[in-house]
Amino acid sequence: MLYELATLSCPLLAVGQVAERACAWAAEAEAGTLLGCWRTEIGTLGRVVLLRRFQAPEAMTAERRRALMSAAPFHAGDHLTALTMDSYAPFPFLPPVRTGSRGGVYEIRTYRLRPGGLAPTLAAWEAAIAPAKPYTAHLVTNLYALDGAPRITHIWAFTSLEERARLRANAYASGAWPPKGGPDQILEATSTIALPDPGSPLS
């Protein structure tokens, strides 16, 4: 099972229209399942992020080719100013993404890792998931990149930024989080707060 995170850049006032069109594009695909569609709210603005799941590499490659060969990828037309499509695999010990209502406020975090840092990162996260359950229950997924720089991207769902801050503070205070040794592998970290588009299966 593979995942794709596509990031569509556009003018600020076009974000809603681009998100709607991107969801329609995903619905028309012959392969792949749309799991989430978000509009960035804090961080780099003017971005629409789509998370899709594919059962086989060939299916993701075909869908990637459809976008590359289109004169208007994701039906975004002249609104689209930049497009990235990144390939990921899921952390093997995490359950599949559960769609539906998850709180309405999402955090998308990406950590660029040291070369060779993925295996110890996976081990650290696996050991920390259960002890930090009050916090990690809000984890939507964690993925590791299959191309580009070594990195992981994890998506979290909360009812509010206040809930996020409280849960993180409690997890840190208890010593259950962050995963032991995990931060040692991180070279760079970015975080984006995003809100689900009305057409998103994750809301």
Side-chain angles (χ1 to χ4, degrees):
M1 187 177 300
L2 301 174
Y3 291 82
E4 179 190 76
L5 268 178
T7 302
L8 289 67
S9 302
C10 62
L12 292 178
L13 296 182
V15 167
Q17 190 174 25
V18 168
E20 181 180 358
R21 292 181 179 185
C23 288
W25 171 278
E28 296 166 3
E30 294 184 1
T33 301
L34 177 66
L35 299 174
C37 177
W38 299 278
R39 310 175 188 187
T40 59
E41 184 70 15
I42 300 175
T44 304
L45 302 181
R47 302 289 187 271
V48 173
V49 180
L50 271 75
L51 175 66
R52 292 193 288 175
R53 180 173 57 217
F54 294 87
Q55 295 300 322
E58 296 80 10
M60 187 166 67
T61 298
E63 184 60 12
R64 183 82 47 90
R65 186 179 296 112
R66 180 168 78 107
L68 293 172
M69 297 301 292
S70 173
F74 292 87
H75 295 318
D78 293 340
H79 293 314
L80 193 61
T81 58
L83 171 64
T84 61
M85 296 175 286
D86 296 320
S87 306
Y88 287 89
F91 278 27
F93 49 84
L94 293 178
V97 174
R98 174 174 58 86
T99 56
S101 178
R102 297 293 299 270
V105 175
Y106 288 81
E107 182 182 19
I108 303 170
R109 295 176 72 91
T110 295
Y111 296 161
R112 184 167 63 87
L113 303 177
R114 298 180 182 278
L118 179 59
T121 296
L122 289 169
W125 274 72
E126 185 172 17
I129 289 292
K133 188 175 181 180
Y135 178 51
T136 59
H138 294 262
L139 180 67
V140 174
T141 190
N142 201 349
L143 311 167
Y144 62 90
L146 297 173
D147 43 28
R151 65 196 187 281
I152 64 172
T153 295
H154 36 123
I155 302 174
W156 301 79
F158 305 98
T159 58
S160 65
L161 292 178
E162 290 78 12
E163 180 187 51
R164 172 189 175 275
R166 175 176 54 80
L167 289 169
R168 283 177 63 86
N170 290 344
Y172 271 72
S174 71
W177 202 261
K180 300 295 189 295
D184 297 339
Q185 308 304 324
I186 300 171
L187 294 178
E188 183 180 82
T190 62
S191 176
T192 298
I193 299 298
L195 303 180
D197 182 77
S200 175
L202 277 162
S203 60

